PDB file of all heavy atoms in Angstrom:
ATOM      1  N   LEU G  35      11.685  41.370   3.959  1.00  0.00           N
ATOM      2  CA  LEU G  35      10.747  41.250   5.188  1.00  0.00           C
ATOM      3  C   LEU G  35       9.893  42.411   5.391  1.00  0.00           C
ATOM      4  O   LEU G  35       8.701  42.164   5.674  1.00  0.00           O
ATOM      5  CB  LEU G  35      11.801  41.089   6.346  1.00  0.00           C
ATOM      6  CG  LEU G  35      12.613  39.814   6.357  1.00  0.00           C
ATOM      7  CD1 LEU G  35      13.582  39.771   7.554  1.00  0.00           C
ATOM      8  CD2 LEU G  35      11.674  38.560   6.511  1.00  0.00           C
ATOM      9  N   VAL G  36      10.351  43.622   5.048  1.00  0.00           N
ATOM     10  CA  VAL G  36       9.519  44.794   5.149  1.00  0.00           C
ATOM     11  C   VAL G  36       8.342  44.667   4.206  1.00  0.00           C
ATOM     12  O   VAL G  36       7.203  44.942   4.512  1.00  0.00           O
ATOM     13  CB  VAL G  36      10.302  46.063   4.942  1.00  0.00           C
ATOM     14  CG1 VAL G  36       9.358  47.259   4.728  1.00  0.00           C
ATOM     15  CG2 VAL G  36      11.195  46.274   6.091  1.00  0.00           C
ATOM     16  N   GLN G  37       8.659  44.139   2.913  1.00  0.00           N
ATOM     17  CA  GLN G  37       7.526  43.978   1.955  1.00  0.00           C
ATOM     18  C   GLN G  37       6.454  43.089   2.503  1.00  0.00           C
ATOM     19  O   GLN G  37       5.264  43.406   2.360  1.00  0.00           O
ATOM     20  CB  GLN G  37       8.099  43.446   0.669  1.00  0.00           C
ATOM     21  CG  GLN G  37       8.936  44.327  -0.129  1.00  0.00           C
ATOM     22  CD  GLN G  37       9.656  43.636  -1.302  1.00  0.00           C
ATOM     23  OE1 GLN G  37       9.800  42.374  -1.371  1.00  0.00           O
ATOM     24  NE2 GLN G  37      10.339  44.383  -2.111  1.00  0.00           N
ATOM     25  N   ALA G  38       6.777  42.006   3.101  1.00  0.00           N
ATOM     26  CA  ALA G  38       5.857  41.088   3.686  1.00  0.00           C
ATOM     27  C   ALA G  38       5.068  41.704   4.875  1.00  0.00           C
ATOM     28  O   ALA G  38       3.812  41.483   4.985  1.00  0.00           O
ATOM     29  CB  ALA G  38       6.542  39.786   4.058  1.00  0.00           C
ATOM     30  N   ILE G  39       5.798  42.342   5.687  1.00  0.00           N
ATOM     31  CA  ILE G  39       5.100  43.061   6.909  1.00  0.00           C
ATOM     32  C   ILE G  39       4.150  44.079   6.362  1.00  0.00           C
ATOM     33  O   ILE G  39       2.938  44.159   6.942  1.00  0.00           O
ATOM     34  CB  ILE G  39       6.178  43.764   7.794  1.00  0.00           C
ATOM     35  CG1 ILE G  39       6.997  42.689   8.529  1.00  0.00           C
ATOM     36  CG2 ILE G  39       5.488  44.739   8.784  1.00  0.00           C
ATOM     37  CD1 ILE G  39       8.177  43.306   9.210  1.00  0.00           C
ATOM     38  N   GLU G  40       4.467  44.829   5.264  1.00  0.00           N
ATOM     39  CA  GLU G  40       3.586  45.863   4.806  1.00  0.00           C
ATOM     40  C   GLU G  40       2.272  45.307   4.293  1.00  0.00           C
ATOM     41  O   GLU G  40       1.338  46.120   4.122  1.00  0.00           O
ATOM     42  CB  GLU G  40       4.316  46.759   3.901  1.00  0.00           C
ATOM     43  CG  GLU G  40       5.370  47.651   4.387  1.00  0.00           C
ATOM     44  CD  GLU G  40       6.098  48.388   3.327  1.00  0.00           C
ATOM     45  OE1 GLU G  40       6.126  48.065   2.163  1.00  0.00           O
ATOM     46  OE2 GLU G  40       6.586  49.586   3.723  1.00  0.00           O
ATOM     47  N   THR G  41       2.189  44.097   3.997  1.00  0.00           N
ATOM     48  CA  THR G  41       0.937  43.505   3.479  1.00  0.00           C
ATOM     49  C   THR G  41      -0.177  43.506   4.551  1.00  0.00           C
ATOM     50  O   THR G  41      -1.342  43.469   4.356  1.00  0.00           O
ATOM     51  CB  THR G  41       1.127  42.058   2.974  1.00  0.00           C
ATOM     52  OG1 THR G  41       1.457  41.189   3.963  1.00  0.00           O
ATOM     53  CG2 THR G  41       2.131  42.049   1.792  1.00  0.00           C
ATOM     54  N   GLY G  42       0.396  43.452   5.730  1.00  0.00           N
ATOM     55  CA  GLY G  42      -0.541  43.424   6.945  1.00  0.00           C
ATOM     56  C   GLY G  42      -1.064  41.900   7.257  1.00  0.00           C
ATOM     57  O   GLY G  42      -1.802  41.698   8.152  1.00  0.00           O
ATOM     58  N   ASN G  43      -0.465  40.961   6.450  1.00  0.00           N
ATOM     59  CA  ASN G  43      -0.888  39.642   6.606  1.00  0.00           C
ATOM     60  C   ASN G  43       0.261  38.859   7.331  1.00  0.00           C
ATOM     61  O   ASN G  43       1.276  38.663   6.729  1.00  0.00           O
ATOM     62  CB  ASN G  43      -1.149  38.922   5.296  1.00  0.00           C
ATOM     63  CG  ASN G  43      -1.778  37.569   5.473  1.00  0.00           C
ATOM     64  OD1 ASN G  43      -1.422  36.888   6.336  1.00  0.00           O
ATOM     65  ND2 ASN G  43      -2.526  37.166   4.496  1.00  0.00           N
ATOM     66  N   PRO G  44       0.131  38.496   8.622  1.00  0.00           N
ATOM     67  CA  PRO G  44       1.134  37.788   9.306  1.00  0.00           C
ATOM     68  C   PRO G  44       1.626  36.530   8.582  1.00  0.00           C
ATOM     69  O   PRO G  44       2.826  36.153   8.728  1.00  0.00           O
ATOM     70  CB  PRO G  44       0.596  37.442  10.660  1.00  0.00           C
ATOM     71  CG  PRO G  44      -0.642  38.349  10.848  1.00  0.00           C
ATOM     72  CD  PRO G  44      -1.064  38.633   9.441  1.00  0.00           C
ATOM     73  N   ALA G  45       0.764  35.894   7.967  1.00  0.00           N
ATOM     74  CA  ALA G  45       1.121  34.590   7.202  1.00  0.00           C
ATOM     75  C   ALA G  45       2.165  34.827   6.170  1.00  0.00           C
ATOM     76  O   ALA G  45       3.100  34.045   5.942  1.00  0.00           O
ATOM     77  CB  ALA G  45      -0.065  33.885   6.665  1.00  0.00           C
ATOM     78  N   PHE G  46       2.079  35.958   5.404  1.00  0.00           N
ATOM     79  CA  PHE G  46       3.030  36.298   4.409  1.00  0.00           C
ATOM     80  C   PHE G  46       4.318  36.583   5.016  1.00  0.00           C
ATOM     81  O   PHE G  46       5.419  36.242   4.476  1.00  0.00           O
ATOM     82  CB  PHE G  46       2.588  37.621   3.572  1.00  0.00           C
ATOM     83  CG  PHE G  46       1.336  37.398   2.745  1.00  0.00           C
ATOM     84  CD1 PHE G  46       0.550  38.453   2.296  1.00  0.00           C
ATOM     85  CD2 PHE G  46       0.850  36.094   2.459  1.00  0.00           C
ATOM     86  CE1 PHE G  46      -0.488  38.324   1.473  1.00  0.00           C
ATOM     87  CE2 PHE G  46      -0.285  35.894   1.731  1.00  0.00           C
ATOM     88  CZ  PHE G  46      -1.000  37.032   1.235  1.00  0.00           C
ATOM     89  N   PHE G  47       4.364  37.354   6.197  1.00  0.00           N
ATOM     90  CA  PHE G  47       5.635  37.518   6.841  1.00  0.00           C
ATOM     91  C   PHE G  47       6.259  36.270   7.311  1.00  0.00           C
ATOM     92  O   PHE G  47       7.515  35.996   7.197  1.00  0.00           O
ATOM     93  CB  PHE G  47       5.396  38.498   8.013  1.00  0.00           C
ATOM     94  CG  PHE G  47       6.626  38.773   8.870  1.00  0.00           C
ATOM     95  CD1 PHE G  47       7.760  39.400   8.321  1.00  0.00           C
ATOM     96  CD2 PHE G  47       6.841  38.145  10.081  1.00  0.00           C
ATOM     97  CE1 PHE G  47       8.928  39.591   9.079  1.00  0.00           C
ATOM     98  CE2 PHE G  47       8.030  38.285  10.783  1.00  0.00           C
ATOM     99  CZ  PHE G  47       9.081  39.045  10.315  1.00  0.00           C
ATOM    100  N   ARG G  48       5.463  35.317   7.871  1.00  0.00           N
ATOM    101  CA  ARG G  48       5.911  34.004   8.247  1.00  0.00           C
ATOM    102  C   ARG G  48       6.553  33.223   7.115  1.00  0.00           C
ATOM    103  O   ARG G  48       7.638  32.646   7.225  1.00  0.00           O
ATOM    104  CB  ARG G  48       4.972  33.185   9.025  1.00  0.00           C
ATOM    105  CG  ARG G  48       4.705  33.604  10.431  1.00  0.00           C
ATOM    106  CD  ARG G  48       3.798  32.684  11.228  1.00  0.00           C
ATOM    107  NE  ARG G  48       2.475  32.548  10.744  1.00  0.00           N
ATOM    108  CZ  ARG G  48       1.455  33.318  10.895  1.00  0.00           C
ATOM    109  NH1 ARG G  48       1.598  34.224  11.782  1.00  0.00           N
ATOM    110  NH2 ARG G  48       0.358  33.092  10.386  1.00  0.00           N
ATOM    111  N   ASP G  49       5.833  33.250   5.891  1.00  0.00           N
ATOM    112  CA  ASP G  49       6.234  32.526   4.782  1.00  0.00           C
ATOM    113  C   ASP G  49       7.620  33.209   4.345  1.00  0.00           C
ATOM    114  O   ASP G  49       8.688  32.459   4.027  1.00  0.00           O
ATOM    115  CB  ASP G  49       5.367  32.680   3.602  1.00  0.00           C
ATOM    116  CG  ASP G  49       4.145  31.821   3.789  1.00  0.00           C
ATOM    117  OD1 ASP G  49       4.120  31.009   4.643  1.00  0.00           O
ATOM    118  OD2 ASP G  49       3.145  32.057   2.987  1.00  0.00           O
ATOM    119  N   ARG G  50       7.798  34.483   4.315  1.00  0.00           N
ATOM    120  CA  ARG G  50       9.104  35.098   3.838  1.00  0.00           C
ATOM    121  C   ARG G  50      10.131  34.840   4.917  1.00  0.00           C
ATOM    122  O   ARG G  50      11.300  34.537   4.485  1.00  0.00           O
ATOM    123  CB  ARG G  50       8.823  36.599   3.771  1.00  0.00           C
ATOM    124  CG  ARG G  50       9.818  37.423   3.124  1.00  0.00           C
ATOM    125  CD  ARG G  50      10.334  37.223   1.733  1.00  0.00           C
ATOM    126  NE  ARG G  50       9.561  37.156   0.591  1.00  0.00           N
ATOM    127  CZ  ARG G  50       9.280  38.224  -0.156  1.00  0.00           C
ATOM    128  NH1 ARG G  50       9.625  39.492   0.172  1.00  0.00           N
ATOM    129  NH2 ARG G  50       8.634  38.042  -1.292  1.00  0.00           N
ATOM    130  N   LEU G  51       9.895  34.941   6.100  1.00  0.00           N
ATOM    131  CA  LEU G  51      10.846  34.737   7.220  1.00  0.00           C
ATOM    132  C   LEU G  51      11.404  33.312   7.267  1.00  0.00           C
ATOM    133  O   LEU G  51      12.553  33.053   7.365  1.00  0.00           O
ATOM    134  CB  LEU G  51      10.248  35.035   8.605  1.00  0.00           C
ATOM    135  CG  LEU G  51      11.129  35.091   9.787  1.00  0.00           C
ATOM    136  CD1 LEU G  51      12.319  36.082   9.524  1.00  0.00           C
ATOM    137  CD2 LEU G  51      10.328  35.373  11.022  1.00  0.00           C
ATOM    138  N   ARG G  52      10.501  32.318   6.958  1.00  0.00           N
ATOM    139  CA  ARG G  52      10.875  30.872   6.905  1.00  0.00           C
ATOM    140  C   ARG G  52      11.983  30.602   5.929  1.00  0.00           C
ATOM    141  O   ARG G  52      12.866  29.820   5.993  1.00  0.00           O
ATOM    142  CB  ARG G  52       9.718  30.002   6.620  1.00  0.00           C
ATOM    143  CG  ARG G  52       9.338  29.240   7.805  1.00  0.00           C
ATOM    144  CD  ARG G  52       8.249  28.135   7.441  1.00  0.00           C
ATOM    145  NE  ARG G  52       6.989  28.625   6.898  1.00  0.00           N
ATOM    146  CZ  ARG G  52       6.008  29.162   7.576  1.00  0.00           C
ATOM    147  NH1 ARG G  52       6.148  29.168   8.873  1.00  0.00           N
ATOM    148  NH2 ARG G  52       4.947  29.509   6.922  1.00  0.00           N
ATOM    149  N   GLY G  53      11.850  31.325   4.769  1.00  0.00           N
ATOM    150  CA  GLY G  53      12.820  31.176   3.660  1.00  0.00           C
ATOM    151  C   GLY G  53      14.113  31.906   3.787  1.00  0.00           C
ATOM    152  O   GLY G  53      15.088  31.803   3.057  1.00  0.00           O
ATOM    153  N   LEU G  54      14.207  32.886   4.830  1.00  0.00           N
ATOM    154  CA  LEU G  54      15.346  33.766   4.963  1.00  0.00           C
ATOM    155  C   LEU G  54      16.666  33.088   5.134  1.00  0.00           C
ATOM    156  O   LEU G  54      17.657  33.349   4.491  1.00  0.00           O
ATOM    157  CB  LEU G  54      15.065  34.844   6.046  1.00  0.00           C
ATOM    158  CG  LEU G  54      16.225  35.776   6.230  1.00  0.00           C
ATOM    159  CD1 LEU G  54      16.395  36.593   4.966  1.00  0.00           C
ATOM    160  CD2 LEU G  54      15.887  36.752   7.452  1.00  0.00           C
ATOM    161  N   PRO G  55      16.755  32.089   6.046  1.00  0.00           N
ATOM    162  CA  PRO G  55      18.054  31.462   6.360  1.00  0.00           C
ATOM    163  C   PRO G  55      18.693  30.803   5.045  1.00  0.00           C
ATOM    164  O   PRO G  55      19.771  30.932   4.709  1.00  0.00           O
ATOM    165  CB  PRO G  55      17.855  30.471   7.395  1.00  0.00           C
ATOM    166  CG  PRO G  55      16.648  30.963   8.147  1.00  0.00           C
ATOM    167  CD  PRO G  55      15.744  31.692   7.172  1.00  0.00           C
ATOM    168  N   GLU G  56      17.749  30.039   4.372  1.00  0.00           N
ATOM    169  CA  GLU G  56      18.253  29.391   3.128  1.00  0.00           C
ATOM    170  C   GLU G  56      18.552  30.463   2.086  1.00  0.00           C
ATOM    171  O   GLU G  56      19.698  30.315   1.324  1.00  0.00           O
ATOM    172  CB  GLU G  56      17.071  28.491   2.491  1.00  0.00           C
ATOM    173  CG  GLU G  56      17.496  27.846   1.214  1.00  0.00           C
ATOM    174  CD  GLU G  56      16.368  27.011   0.586  1.00  0.00           C
ATOM    175  OE1 GLU G  56      15.371  26.792   1.215  1.00  0.00           O
ATOM    176  OE2 GLU G  56      16.550  26.594  -0.601  1.00  0.00           O
ATOM    177  N   PHE G  57      17.884  31.537   1.929  1.00  0.00           N
ATOM    178  CA  PHE G  57      18.128  32.669   0.990  1.00  0.00           C
ATOM    179  C   PHE G  57      19.536  33.186   1.270  1.00  0.00           C
ATOM    180  O   PHE G  57      20.407  33.321   0.374  1.00  0.00           O
ATOM    181  CB  PHE G  57      17.119  33.721   1.063  1.00  0.00           C
ATOM    182  CG  PHE G  57      17.615  34.975   0.317  1.00  0.00           C
ATOM    183  CD1 PHE G  57      17.615  35.066  -1.012  1.00  0.00           C
ATOM    184  CD2 PHE G  57      17.978  36.116   1.169  1.00  0.00           C
ATOM    185  CE1 PHE G  57      18.000  36.278  -1.669  1.00  0.00           C
ATOM    186  CE2 PHE G  57      18.358  37.289   0.500  1.00  0.00           C
ATOM    187  CZ  PHE G  57      18.351  37.333  -0.903  1.00  0.00           C
ATOM    188  N   LEU G  58      19.892  33.466   2.482  1.00  0.00           N
ATOM    189  CA  LEU G  58      21.175  34.096   2.894  1.00  0.00           C
ATOM    190  C   LEU G  58      22.279  33.091   2.651  1.00  0.00           C
ATOM    191  O   LEU G  58      23.273  33.399   2.058  1.00  0.00           O
ATOM    192  CB  LEU G  58      21.140  34.606   4.274  1.00  0.00           C
ATOM    193  CG  LEU G  58      20.230  35.848   4.587  1.00  0.00           C
ATOM    194  CD1 LEU G  58      20.189  36.153   6.054  1.00  0.00           C
ATOM    195  CD2 LEU G  58      20.726  37.041   3.790  1.00  0.00           C
ATOM    196  N   GLU G  59      22.060  31.826   3.104  1.00  0.00           N
ATOM    197  CA  GLU G  59      23.070  30.937   2.932  1.00  0.00           C
ATOM    198  C   GLU G  59      23.385  30.592   1.453  1.00  0.00           C
ATOM    199  O   GLU G  59      24.618  30.629   0.955  1.00  0.00           O
ATOM    200  CB  GLU G  59      22.685  29.581   3.589  1.00  0.00           C
ATOM    201  CG  GLU G  59      23.803  28.548   3.602  1.00  0.00           C
ATOM    202  CD  GLU G  59      23.314  27.233   4.290  1.00  0.00           C
ATOM    203  OE1 GLU G  59      22.784  27.387   5.416  1.00  0.00           O
ATOM    204  OE2 GLU G  59      23.603  26.166   3.813  1.00  0.00           O
ATOM    205  N   ARG G  60      22.359  30.425   0.635  1.00  0.00           N
ATOM    206  CA  ARG G  60      22.577  30.228  -0.793  1.00  0.00           C
ATOM    207  C   ARG G  60      23.164  31.458  -1.413  1.00  0.00           C
ATOM    208  O   ARG G  60      24.129  31.342  -2.238  1.00  0.00           O
ATOM    209  CB  ARG G  60      21.200  29.858  -1.438  1.00  0.00           C
ATOM    210  CG  ARG G  60      21.190  29.433  -2.771  1.00  0.00           C
ATOM    211  CD  ARG G  60      19.778  28.990  -3.281  1.00  0.00           C
ATOM    212  NE  ARG G  60      18.682  29.640  -2.712  1.00  0.00           N
ATOM    213  CZ  ARG G  60      18.008  30.715  -3.244  1.00  0.00           C
ATOM    214  NH1 ARG G  60      18.415  31.215  -4.420  1.00  0.00           N
ATOM    215  NH2 ARG G  60      17.052  31.324  -2.702  1.00  0.00           N
ATOM    216  N   SER G  61      22.721  32.661  -1.128  1.00  0.00           N
ATOM    217  CA  SER G  61      23.200  33.792  -1.735  1.00  0.00           C
ATOM    218  C   SER G  61      24.602  34.110  -1.408  1.00  0.00           C
ATOM    219  O   SER G  61      25.369  34.500  -2.342  1.00  0.00           O
ATOM    220  CB  SER G  61      22.308  35.046  -1.322  1.00  0.00           C
ATOM    221  OG  SER G  61      20.940  34.873  -1.724  1.00  0.00           O
ATOM    222  N   PHE G  62      25.000  33.959  -0.115  1.00  0.00           N
ATOM    223  CA  PHE G  62      26.423  34.177   0.261  1.00  0.00           C
ATOM    224  C   PHE G  62      27.274  33.272  -0.465  1.00  0.00           C
ATOM    225  O   PHE G  62      28.448  33.518  -0.715  1.00  0.00           O
ATOM    226  CB  PHE G  62      26.562  34.269   1.680  1.00  0.00           C
ATOM    227  CG  PHE G  62      25.939  35.364   2.384  1.00  0.00           C
ATOM    228  CD1 PHE G  62      25.573  35.373   3.710  1.00  0.00           C
ATOM    229  CD2 PHE G  62      25.725  36.476   1.624  1.00  0.00           C
ATOM    230  CE1 PHE G  62      25.053  36.521   4.349  1.00  0.00           C
ATOM    231  CE2 PHE G  62      25.069  37.694   2.304  1.00  0.00           C
ATOM    232  CZ  PHE G  62      24.692  37.706   3.619  1.00  0.00           C
ATOM    233  N   SER G  63      26.817  32.053  -0.913  1.00  0.00           N
ATOM    234  CA  SER G  63      27.652  31.076  -1.605  1.00  0.00           C
ATOM    235  C   SER G  63      27.999  31.658  -2.984  1.00  0.00           C
ATOM    236  O   SER G  63      28.939  31.066  -3.580  1.00  0.00           O
ATOM    237  CB  SER G  63      27.006  29.709  -1.672  1.00  0.00           C
ATOM    238  OG  SER G  63      25.940  29.677  -2.523  1.00  0.00           O
ATOM    239  N   PHE G  64      27.226  32.549  -3.495  1.00  0.00           N
ATOM    240  CA  PHE G  64      27.519  33.121  -4.897  1.00  0.00           C
ATOM    241  C   PHE G  64      28.553  34.192  -4.893  1.00  0.00           C
ATOM    242  O   PHE G  64      29.068  34.626  -5.934  1.00  0.00           O
ATOM    243  CB  PHE G  64      26.234  33.655  -5.497  1.00  0.00           C
ATOM    244  CG  PHE G  64      25.096  32.671  -5.544  1.00  0.00           C
ATOM    245  CD1 PHE G  64      23.774  33.188  -5.293  1.00  0.00           C
ATOM    246  CD2 PHE G  64      25.310  31.385  -5.778  1.00  0.00           C
ATOM    247  CE1 PHE G  64      22.744  32.238  -5.307  1.00  0.00           C
ATOM    248  CE2 PHE G  64      24.180  30.481  -5.778  1.00  0.00           C
ATOM    249  CZ  PHE G  64      22.887  30.900  -5.526  1.00  0.00           C
ATOM    250  N   LEU G  65      28.930  34.628  -3.689  1.00  0.00           N
ATOM    251  CA  LEU G  65      29.909  35.788  -3.627  1.00  0.00           C
ATOM    252  C   LEU G  65      31.290  35.232  -3.985  1.00  0.00           C
ATOM    253  O   LEU G  65      31.717  34.156  -3.534  1.00  0.00           O
ATOM    254  CB  LEU G  65      29.981  36.340  -2.228  1.00  0.00           C
ATOM    255  CG  LEU G  65      28.698  37.050  -1.771  1.00  0.00           C
ATOM    256  CD1 LEU G  65      28.718  37.446  -0.290  1.00  0.00           C
ATOM    257  CD2 LEU G  65      28.400  38.224  -2.662  1.00  0.00           C
ATOM    258  N   GLU G  66      32.001  36.020  -4.679  1.00  0.00           N
ATOM    259  CA  GLU G  66      33.409  35.576  -5.182  1.00  0.00           C
ATOM    260  C   GLU G  66      34.227  36.883  -5.262  1.00  0.00           C
ATOM    261  O   GLU G  66      33.754  37.921  -5.762  1.00  0.00           O
ATOM    262  CB  GLU G  66      33.268  34.900  -6.469  1.00  0.00           C
ATOM    263  CG  GLU G  66      32.622  35.718  -7.568  1.00  0.00           C
ATOM    264  CD  GLU G  66      32.320  35.010  -8.893  1.00  0.00           C
ATOM    265  OE1 GLU G  66      31.747  33.859  -8.810  1.00  0.00           O
ATOM    266  OE2 GLU G  66      32.690  35.527  -9.886  1.00  0.00           O
ATOM    267  N   GLY G  67      35.421  36.757  -4.864  1.00  0.00           N
ATOM    268  CA  GLY G  67      36.468  37.830  -5.065  1.00  0.00           C
ATOM    269  C   GLY G  67      35.978  39.196  -4.609  1.00  0.00           C
ATOM    270  O   GLY G  67      36.151  40.196  -5.218  1.00  0.00           O
ATOM    271  N   MET G  68      35.360  39.232  -3.373  1.00  0.00           N
ATOM    272  CA  MET G  68      34.848  40.534  -2.856  1.00  0.00           C
ATOM    273  C   MET G  68      36.026  41.516  -2.535  1.00  0.00           C
ATOM    274  O   MET G  68      36.963  41.044  -1.837  1.00  0.00           O
ATOM    275  CB  MET G  68      34.034  40.211  -1.550  1.00  0.00           C
ATOM    276  CG  MET G  68      32.778  39.658  -1.711  1.00  0.00           C
ATOM    277  SD  MET G  68      32.021  39.377  -0.047  1.00  0.00           S
ATOM    278  CE  MET G  68      33.017  37.964   0.461  1.00  0.00           C
ATOM    279  N   PRO G  69      35.853  42.628  -2.974  1.00  0.00           N
ATOM    280  CA  PRO G  69      36.788  43.675  -2.477  1.00  0.00           C
ATOM    281  C   PRO G  69      36.695  43.867  -0.963  1.00  0.00           C
ATOM    282  O   PRO G  69      35.668  43.705  -0.491  1.00  0.00           O
ATOM    283  CB  PRO G  69      36.277  45.005  -3.257  1.00  0.00           C
ATOM    284  CG  PRO G  69      35.479  44.478  -4.398  1.00  0.00           C
ATOM    285  CD  PRO G  69      34.924  43.262  -3.979  1.00  0.00           C
ATOM    286  N   GLU G  70      37.814  44.139  -0.364  1.00  0.00           N
ATOM    287  CA  GLU G  70      37.860  44.164   1.166  1.00  0.00           C
ATOM    288  C   GLU G  70      36.797  45.126   1.715  1.00  0.00           C
ATOM    289  O   GLU G  70      36.253  44.853   2.700  1.00  0.00           O
ATOM    290  CB  GLU G  70      39.315  44.586   1.504  1.00  0.00           C
ATOM    291  CG  GLU G  70      39.552  44.681   3.021  1.00  0.00           C
ATOM    292  CD  GLU G  70      39.470  43.257   3.697  1.00  0.00           C
ATOM    293  OE1 GLU G  70      39.725  42.279   3.035  1.00  0.00           O
ATOM    294  OE2 GLU G  70      39.108  43.219   4.806  1.00  0.00           O
ATOM    295  N   VAL G  71      36.624  46.201   1.087  1.00  0.00           N
ATOM    296  CA  VAL G  71      35.577  47.260   1.557  1.00  0.00           C
ATOM    297  C   VAL G  71      34.273  46.621   1.639  1.00  0.00           C
ATOM    298  O   VAL G  71      33.518  46.905   2.654  1.00  0.00           O
ATOM    299  CB  VAL G  71      35.700  48.594   0.822  1.00  0.00           C
ATOM    300  CG1 VAL G  71      35.155  48.375  -0.685  1.00  0.00           C
ATOM    301  CG2 VAL G  71      34.909  49.674   1.443  1.00  0.00           C
ATOM    302  N   PHE G  72      33.807  45.839   0.612  1.00  0.00           N
ATOM    303  CA  PHE G  72      32.563  45.295   0.688  1.00  0.00           C
ATOM    304  C   PHE G  72      32.453  44.186   1.723  1.00  0.00           C
ATOM    305  O   PHE G  72      31.397  43.968   2.306  1.00  0.00           O
ATOM    306  CB  PHE G  72      32.166  44.766  -0.738  1.00  0.00           C
ATOM    307  CG  PHE G  72      31.989  45.761  -1.765  1.00  0.00           C
ATOM    308  CD1 PHE G  72      32.363  45.510  -3.107  1.00  0.00           C
ATOM    309  CD2 PHE G  72      31.446  47.071  -1.499  1.00  0.00           C
ATOM    310  CE1 PHE G  72      32.238  46.476  -4.069  1.00  0.00           C
ATOM    311  CE2 PHE G  72      31.305  47.960  -2.506  1.00  0.00           C
ATOM    312  CZ  PHE G  72      31.674  47.724  -3.723  1.00  0.00           C
ATOM    313  N   LEU G  73      33.501  43.473   1.859  1.00  0.00           N
ATOM    314  CA  LEU G  73      33.552  42.384   2.827  1.00  0.00           C
ATOM    315  C   LEU G  73      33.416  43.008   4.314  1.00  0.00           C
ATOM    316  O   LEU G  73      32.593  42.413   4.993  1.00  0.00           O
ATOM    317  CB  LEU G  73      34.970  41.604   2.722  1.00  0.00           C
ATOM    318  CG  LEU G  73      35.088  40.463   3.670  1.00  0.00           C
ATOM    319  CD1 LEU G  73      33.969  39.408   3.468  1.00  0.00           C
ATOM    320  CD2 LEU G  73      36.403  39.839   3.466  1.00  0.00           C
TER     321      LEU G  73
END
């Protein structure tokens, strides 16, 4: 998100922000056997 903000182009930030929920949902599905401290 910071990378997109730093461009100074609000459209880039909106594009990046729009994909954030899917990115987090998909990414967290790849987690396996997390040590308690990381969890």
Side-chain angles (χ1 to χ4, degrees):
L35 293 174
V36 167
Q37 290 169 347
I39 289 170
E40 287 178 338
T41 68
N43 186 330
F46 293 163
F47 177 70
R48 283 191 297 276
D49 286 347
R50 188 56 63 87
L51 188 59
R52 250 190 300 280
L54 181 61
E56 180 186 347
F57 165 74
L58 290 174
E59 186 175 316
R60 189 171 32 95
S61 297
F62 289 158
S63 74
F64 306 142
L65 295 171
E66 56 189 50
M68 283 178 287
E70 183 67 26
V71 68
F72 293 144
L73 181 59

